[in-house]
Amino acid sequence: MSASFPTAAASPVAAAAPALRVRDLSVRFGGHLAVSSVDLDVPAGRISGLIGPNGAGKTTTFNAICGVITPTSGQVELGGDDVSKLSTHQRARRGIGRTFQRLEVFSSLSVRDNVRVGLEIRQSWSRRRAAAPQFLAGGAELSADDEVALIIDRLGLVEVAEVPVGSLPTGQARKVELGRALAARPSVLLLDEPASGLDEQESVEFGALLGTLAASGLAILLVEHDIALVMRVCSELSVLNFGQLIAHGTPEQVQSNAAVLDAYLGGGGNDATAVERAAVDAGVNVSDTSWSGPGAPS
Amino acid sequence: MDKFLTFTIAGLSSAAIYAIAASGLVVTYTTSGIFNFAHGAFGMMAAFTYWQVHVAWGVPTIPAVILVVFVIAPIFGAVIERVIMRGIEGASDVVKIVVTVSLMVALLGIAQVIWPQNVSRPVPPFFEGRFVELFGVRVPWARLMALVIALVVAGGLKLLFTRTRLGIAMRAVVDDRSLLQLNGGRPGRTAMLSWGLGAGLAAISGVLYSTEQTLSAITLTLLVVNTYAVAVVGRLRSLPGAFLGAVILGLAQSYVTGYINPGLTIGPIALGNLAAALPAIMLFIVLLVQPEERLRAHGVERPRNPIRVPSQTVAIVGGVALVVVLAALGSLMSASDLVLVTKGAGIALVTLSLVPLTGYAGQISLAQMTFVGIGAVAMAAWGASGSPLAVVLVVAVCAVVGAVVALPALRLSGIYLALATAAFALFCTAMFFNQQTIIRAGSVQVPPLSFGPLSINTDFRQLVLTAIVFALLGNGLVWLRRSAWGRRLTAMKDSPVACATLGLNLTSTKVGVFALSAAIAGAGGAMSGRTFTADSFSLPASLPVTMLAVVGGIGSIAGAFIGGMLLGAIPIASTIFAANAIGIFRFVSLPVTNVLSFTPGLMGISLGREPDGAAPQIAVGYRAVGDSPPALVVSAAGAVALWVATRVGVITKWSFFAALVVFVVAVVPLLPLILTPRLPEDQAEPPRRVACAIWLALATIAAVLIPWATAITSNGVRVLLVLVLAALSARVAIGVLGVTPEQLRRPLPPSPDLIGVDRPLSRADAIEATHMMGLTEDEFEAEVSRAGADVAAAPVGALR
């Protein structure tokens, strides 16, 4: 199964300059330094992972990248342009798309309308500033209705397309958020725990979908607690702990990094079985291991 | 120099009162998360209570002050928190604003009932006749005392919030109520204490202010707008900011009074009212310089009752029906009733203006009557011939004004838009509507429209025109809601942050919808063809419009109509009850008309219990009618038959009224159940359709045959008996039928997340879950029977 989808590293687009570049990003909430001097490079055509225990500053980093919060210092570059001074919607128009850890769906609208709103908002600005191609269609141009239908189909939401999102289970609502973000045709997609609420089978399919998207040129930054998924799909990983980057490298390098094991296990590192099992499983086959934070392995 | 010093000291002493009031506002807001629009009304009630205790009952000053400020007011605040505010915790901004605004209107109405306006109530100043010499200026003791009290309040609050356990708990409760509870705090008690404290501070400011000015319920209540302006300086959360704001406003008002000649004019605007407009001006300036609010991603609530958007066909049918029904009713009414109903329909246009703004986009405006006023005044000035083209121009002007007003506040959150619109209403009253050059002698006549040879110069034509305009605009709004822009507004209401991350400019979208709303309200003024007094455009006139629009159920056109008609019904009810009902309808010596004056407020407060408004609930019953063609036909035929019978003189108008009420309340909602073969699920016994139909027919015939016009002399008794008859008929009919309209509701597909949480499990849930697990129904049954025969026989709902 794991060999059936294209691996991101093999993509020909991967060599270009990073689509998203974050330099020296810091966010301070009162006396608490939530994110401290973080650097990130998210290249087009690849899936980069951002992992770390709960409270490490992953969501805050996302919020600062897309302009939902103003960072204390630091720079965000998109396709070589500095977007640090731009508002959220201006950054979105330059190609940042995202999903949310705590659902931000349009709960009174149907699944189809959620996706359609994403597309319509994009249509309202893309006359002035060209949006990225629809990576889900491999860059092919589609009519609006076809594009919405394609997104719903590819995300496996056909059966619930007319259901108000407010009444969907979390896993499906997360797919709706992803579909909505894709309808706006970002060039960089930030995914905040998109697989939580998915079962094992769905998680595998989801990983394959991300692989397809990256293969057509989308830059993806993935925050995820499903370590098996992360190890399977990411070509590189950054690890945050207490707001600081403590490791960066390929999944293989990161899983053998002592600081990372330490961060996840809260110091001792003597109960490494869960991490090891996750890492091993991730390398070889699909596991049933998905843990949700530093407390889980104990 | 003496003059300067005199005005400085006067300014500082008003600043002290503002600071005390604003600190109360900030305390309740920061500790309960609810911005108390009724804060001024709390102070007003305290001032009147002080007058009652001290002047009317002769209690000496100090015990009277202690009783009012330290006992009555805090208890009152705590009770309000417990009874009303606790219910709206976690509700949307709109509901929170409307509930506190309703409280303000209700208190205003209650105060005017208890302390009628026609009596002068002087409150003796504290330390009368005692002065201190300060730099050659005689300063009354009372002013110094105000300053001292403000300083004591400032110091006391600082100590409370930084040094005491209670104060820290008060700050914690707004950050995370459940966390505080987990840590052993008692959020309920803490919130009651903070409302009690806020009410006490409101009482101090109210009592202090009452000794300086004539005791007037409206003036004291609206003083709260000064308090808003002051509190906004500290972003509604900072006490030092509020104190700074108070000093600025107090001094500015004092110097304007002292140094600007009231006769001075700028163009047609006399500056005599500038001091009254200053808080509004200050509020706008402060809003302009505030940095843009940061967005928050905190997860989206699941809506309790997603409002169904009607199809365009339903909207067109509804629009035609509205015009026909109103025209039919109008042709039967006496001249005086026709005037009232026409005004009610006109107000429905104004409540309609809130549908896109509040219903679709989740924003709020407290100045809709101000836009009506701008429309009316502009039409009177530019459209004397009644040309429809003038209406277009006027509507465009209103849209532009609306956009300009809303822009500074829309960058911020909902509460600021409410504040800014309230300030705009006060500003326009002071600087525009109360100017002799603009509205002469306090009233403005809007020229009736004329379409070529057809002039809308009778009340009946005006009613039909209003109905047509409402139907057209309503249809336009339904179309809008179904368009891309409408979806976007709904999306923005559900999750602003998600919209921004898709590339939507939230501010321009909100400005657009606010302009649309102002334009519709302006059209309501420009096309009204009636005389308005300047008072009708004031803030106290706008508040009930917003309140009742939300009470009606603001997400739907029908809700807007219900809201408008509720508001229109109050003057109608007043005239009916005032005619000859006094003596029967007196309870605790309150004439019914007075009770009606605060009814809108009470209706608004009721939102605390039912945040979705009336329309969605009523709609459950009537929606089924729309889905059932036979029921629609019978409803329409019945109404037309009654109308024809009345028109040709077979039945009296009172019989018509009674039969229509019974028909609409009892017959129509049950028609689909009687006429449609579809049975509700889980219905053990078939409904007794024939028996129910016979009962309803009898009830309607009884309503026609009772000699309402001759047997009963009081209009009030008639209306009451008609309502009782309708309610009884409906209740008995449901009993006879054995099925309620709610059971016809089509269930939404259940969310597995919420199964068993939001309602008991049903058998359908269990079967669906079985399918999801990949089992067949037979396997499910096998499992159930293995669990035990007694369990298998029980409905799943009973297995909790």
Side-chain angles (χ1 to χ4, degrees):
Chain A
M1 183 72 200
S2 59
S4 67
F5 55 85
T7 52
S11 166
V13 214
L20 171 72
R21 209 177 143 92
V22 176
R23 284 292 169 271
D24 196 27
L25 186 79
S26 297
V27 180
R28 183 179 284 282
F29 295 131
H32 170 60
L33 193 58
V35 174
S36 166
S37 293
V38 166
D39 294 341
L40 288 172
D41 284 328
V42 183
R46 285 197 215 162
I47 304 172
S48 311
L50 180 63
I51 61 171
N54 283 339
K58 305 182 296 291
T59 296
T60 307
T61 306
F62 268 25
N63 284 342
I65 292 175
C66 68
V68 170
I69 58 172
T70 313
T72 317
S73 66
Q75 217 178 6
V76 179
E77 283 176 20
L78 204 56
D81 296 339
D82 185 358
V83 298
S84 312
K85 297 279 181 286
L86 299 184
S87 65
T88 304
H89 72 267
Q90 287 166 326
R91 295 185 197 199
R93 293 176 185 192
R94 284 165 187 257
I96 298 184
R98 75 171 285 186
T99 67
F100 296 85
Q101 182 190 8
R102 291 174 72 176
L103 286 174
E104 288 283 346
V105 285
F106 306 140
S107 48
S108 48
L109 296 178
S110 69
V111 171
R112 187 181 303 284
D113 280 351
N114 266 262
V115 176
R116 199 189 284 178
V117 165
L119 182 132
E120 285 163 349
I121 292 176
R122 185 251 298 162
Q123 281 179 333
S124 71
W125 52 260
S126 63
R127 270 172 246 128
R128 275 158 289 167
R129 169 180 290 281
Q134 179 52 265
F135 291 115
L136 211 51
E141 267 312 311
L142 296 170
S143 74
D145 285 348
D146 288 348
E147 193 172 334
V148 171
L150 173 83
I151 291 170
I152 290 175
D153 177 52
R154 292 298 301 277
L155 290 170
L157 294 168
V158 175
E159 279 172 21
V160 291
E162 309 307 332
V163 175
V165 179
S167 56
L168 289 183
T170 310
Q172 279 184 322
R174 289 197 183 282
K175 288 187 185 171
V176 174
E177 271 200 357
L178 174 62
R180 186 182 66 188
L182 289 173
R185 293 194 187 169
S187 52
V188 177
L189 184 58
L190 313 180
L191 299 175
D192 202 344
E193 297 189 26
S196 68
L198 299 187
D199 66 25
E200 182 192 314
Q201 175 65 27
E202 287 172 319
S203 168
V204 171
E205 288 165 9
F206 184 74
L209 177 73
L210 294 187
T212 317
L213 285 167
S216 7
L218 183 62
I220 298 177
L221 181 59
L222 176 68
V223 162
E224 185 51 64
H225 280 306
D226 180 347
I227 290 296
L229 175 70
V230 169
M231 293 292 172
R232 207 162 60 227
V233 301
C234 292
S235 55
E236 51 194 285
L237 282 181
S238 301
V239 187
L240 267 182
N241 194 25
F242 294 114
Q244 288 183 314
L245 274 185
I246 55 167
H248 176 83
T250 63
E252 293 72 29
Q253 288 165 338
V254 165
Q255 62 183 285
S256 56
N257 184 311
V260 175
L261 291 177
D262 200 42
Y264 266 92
L265 296 172
N270 44 9
D271 182 15
T273 50
V275 174
E276 282 163 5
R277 197 176 66 225
V280 169
D281 286 348
V284 225
N285 58 8
V286 180
S287 77
D288 57 351
T289 318
S290 104
W291 39 291
S292 57
S298 55
Chain B
M1 191 58 203
D2 274 4
K3 186 179 176 188
F4 178 75
L5 209 57
T6 309
F7 282 107
T8 305
I9 291 167
L12 285 178
S13 85
S14 341
I17 296 174
Y18 295 156
I20 296 165
S23 57
L25 193 63
V26 170
V27 164
T28 40
Y29 184 54
T30 47
T31 55
S32 69
I34 295 171
F35 186 85
N36 185 13
F37 279 82
H39 194 70
F42 282 23
M44 177 272 297
M45 291 297 276
F48 274 93
T49 311
Y50 175 70
W51 176 87
Q52 187 71 43
V53 172
H54 179 53
V55 180
W57 296 340
V59 175
T61 307
I62 291 175
V65 168
I66 289 175
L67 182 67
V68 170
V69 170
F70 294 100
V71 181
I72 297 179
I75 290 176
F76 179 73
V79 168
I80 292 284
E81 194 283 330
R82 183 67 194 84
V83 177
I84 300 174
M85 300 307 161
R86 202 165 292 182
I88 56 171
E89 190 200 328
S92 69
D93 268 359
V94 168
V95 167
K96 285 181 181 170
I97 292 168
V98 166
V99 167
T100 58
V101 165
S102 303
L103 179 62
M104 163 175 164
V105 173
L107 291 177
L108 193 58
I110 290 169
Q112 286 173 341
V113 168
I114 305 178
W115 297 285
Q117 282 165 291
N118 50 13
V119 184
S120 159
R121 297 185 184 78
V123 177
F126 299 108
F127 311 110
E128 200 162 11
R130 306 189 67 163
F131 294 88
V132 199
E133 287 274 325
L134 268 183
F135 311 106
V137 177
R138 268 159 52 97
V139 181
W141 272 35
R143 299 222 150 146
L144 286 183
M145 186 185 75
L147 285 173
V148 170
I149 292 175
L151 293 175
V152 169
V153 165
L157 289 177
K158 166 112 179 117
L159 281 180
L160 174 70
F161 282 119
T162 52
R163 295 294 165 82
T164 68
R165 214 183 139 73
L166 173 66
I168 290 164
M170 280 180 168
R171 280 168 31 195
V173 76
V174 74
D175 284 344
D176 198 327
R177 195 184 180 99
S178 44
L179 192 62
L180 177 67
Q181 203 157 19
L182 280 177
N183 284 306
R186 291 161 64 183
R189 199 189 59 152
T190 313
M192 274 172 84
L193 281 169
S194 74
W195 275 79
L197 178 60
L201 291 166
I204 299 178
S205 60
V207 171
L208 281 176
Y209 199 81
S210 68
T211 60
E212 300 214 343
Q213 303 270 330
T214 349
L215 204 52
S216 146
I218 292 188
T219 315
L220 277 166
T221 303
L222 291 189
L223 199 62
V224 77
V225 177
N226 302 21
T227 317
Y228 305 155
V230 161
V232 163
V233 174
R235 292 211 96 172
L236 307 178
R237 293 189 171 277
S238 147
L239 287 170
F243 275 74
L244 173 70
V247 171
I248 296 172
L249 183 64
L251 288 179
Q253 273 186 318
S254 187
Y255 294 146
V256 163
T257 315
Y259 288 98
I260 293 190
N261 177 356
L264 209 61
T265 59
I266 301 177
I269 310 289
L271 294 185
N273 289 335
L274 186 59
L278 267 184
I281 296 171
M282 174 165 154
L283 189 81
F284 270 97
I285 295 173
V286 175
L287 289 181
L288 272 176
V289 300
Q290 294 275 4
E292 188 155 346
E293 185 113 336
R294 73 185 175 91
L295 290 163
R296 282 186 184 194
H298 43 46
V300 164
E301 303 268 325
R302 287 165 195 273
R304 268 182 277 197
N305 247 336
I307 289 163
R308 215 175 68 155
V309 192
S311 72
Q312 201 71 50
T313 321
V314 168
I316 291 170
V317 170
V320 171
L322 176 77
V323 174
V324 170
V325 167
L326 275 187
L329 283 172
S331 71
L332 295 176
M333 282 175 198
S334 68
S336 58
D337 287 349
L338 188 59
V339 170
L340 288 168
V341 170
T342 309
K343 282 184 181 175
I347 291 169
L349 268 184
V350 186
T351 47
L352 184 71
S353 72
L354 287 164
V355 167
L357 182 71
T358 310
Y360 298 168
Q363 306 293 312
I364 200 161
S365 160
L366 301 179
Q368 288 314 89
M369 287 310 289
T370 306
F371 291 111
V372 172
I374 295 173
V377 169
M379 189 68 190
W382 303 331
S385 60
S387 153
L389 277 180
V391 175
V392 175
L393 175 68
V394 168
V395 165
V397 168
C398 288
V400 172
V401 173
V404 171
V405 170
L407 189 57
L410 284 173
R411 294 154 48 248
L412 307 161
S413 66
I415 192 93
Y416 289 94
L417 185 60
L419 294 178
T421 49
F424 175 66
L426 279 195
F427 175 83
C428 285
T429 296
M431 303 307 285
F432 191 64
F433 299 128
N434 279 352
Q435 300 282 340
Q436 280 299 315
T437 44
I438 289 164
I439 296 187
R440 207 161 290 120
S443 76
V444 57
Q445 165 67 47
V446 182
L449 280 188
S450 55
F451 300 89
L454 176 68
S455 175
I456 311 298
N457 50 8
T458 67
D459 282 320
F460 180 69
R461 287 181 188 175
Q462 182 64 42
L463 177 65
V464 174
L465 172 74
T466 311
I468 291 173
V469 172
F470 187 94
L472 289 177
L473 286 175
N475 266 281
L477 288 177
V478 168
W479 174 82
L480 182 76
R481 170 63 184 80
R482 304 183 74 88
S483 74
W485 199 59
R487 273 191 293 276
R488 212 171 296 166
L489 292 182
T490 311
M492 186 173 73
K493 183 182 177 187
D494 282 351
S495 172
V497 66
C499 284
T501 59
L502 293 166
L504 184 72
N505 184 339
L506 298 177
T507 303
S508 67
T509 310
K510 289 189 218 161
V511 166
V513 70
F514 197 91
L516 172 69
S517 169
I520 297 176
M527 305 178 88
S528 61
R530 58 176 270 208
T531 307
F532 286 102
T533 60
D535 279 355
S536 357
F537 309 139
S538 65
L539 176 62
S542 283
L543 298 179
V545 173
T546 305
M547 274 162 28
L548 289 185
V550 175
V551 170
I554 195 59
S556 66
I557 309 295
F561 191 77
I562 292 172
M565 278 295 160
L566 281 177
L567 201 61
I570 287 164
I572 295 175
S574 295
T575 51
I576 291 174
F577 285 104
N580 44 10
I582 294 173
I584 301 166
F585 273 90
R586 273 172 175 274
F587 50 94
V588 215
S589 84
L590 294 182
V592 172
T593 41
N594 281 355
V595 177
L596 288 168
S597 72
F598 56 81
T599 323
L602 296 184
M603 288 194 225
I605 292 170
S606 72
L607 271 184
R609 304 267 172 243
E610 295 289 346
D612 294 321
Q617 288 147 40
I618 297 176
V620 171
Y622 291 98
R623 185 172 292 154
V625 180
D627 292 341
S628 154
L632 263 180
V633 169
V634 173
S635 311
V640 169
L642 284 174
W643 175 70
V644 170
T646 318
R647 197 66 178 155
V648 299
V650 177
I651 58 177
T652 66
K653 288 178 185 177
W654 274 107
S655 292
F656 169 73
F657 174 73
L660 191 70
V661 171
V662 169
F663 191 69
V664 170
V665 171
V667 180
V668 172
L670 292 177
L671 280 176
L673 288 173
I674 295 173
L675 296 173
T676 319
R678 184 162 54 94
L679 264 179
E681 265 181 58
D682 313 333
Q683 188 61 35
E685 285 179 48
R688 289 174 288 269
R689 291 201 180 91
V690 177
C692 180
I694 291 171
W695 164 256
L696 287 173
L698 287 177
T700 315
I701 291 169
V704 170
L705 292 184
I706 292 174
W708 303 97
T710 48
I712 303 159
T713 48
S714 155
N715 282 336
V717 175
R718 279 186 199 128
V719 172
L720 194 74
L721 287 180
V722 166
L723 293 177
V724 168
L725 176 66
L728 271 179
S729 311
R731 189 66 205 88
V732 174
I734 289 171
V736 171
L737 192 64
V739 180
T740 61
E742 283 83 3
Q743 286 173 293
L744 262 189
R745 228 199 302 208
R746 263 172 278 167
L748 286 170
S751 156
D753 288 4
L754 289 179
I755 286 179
V757 175
D758 60 339
R759 60 192 165 79
L761 284 168
S762 72
R763 190 179 175 78
D765 295 330
I767 291 174
E768 195 187 358
T770 315
H771 283 308
M772 283 179 163
M773 290 187 291
L775 299 173
T776 66
E777 221 159 296
D778 296 337
E779 287 168 307
F780 168 70
E781 294 297 344
E783 276 307 310
V784 172
S785 58
R786 204 174 310 150
D790 51 333
V791 177
V796 181
L799 302 179
R800 272 184 291 157

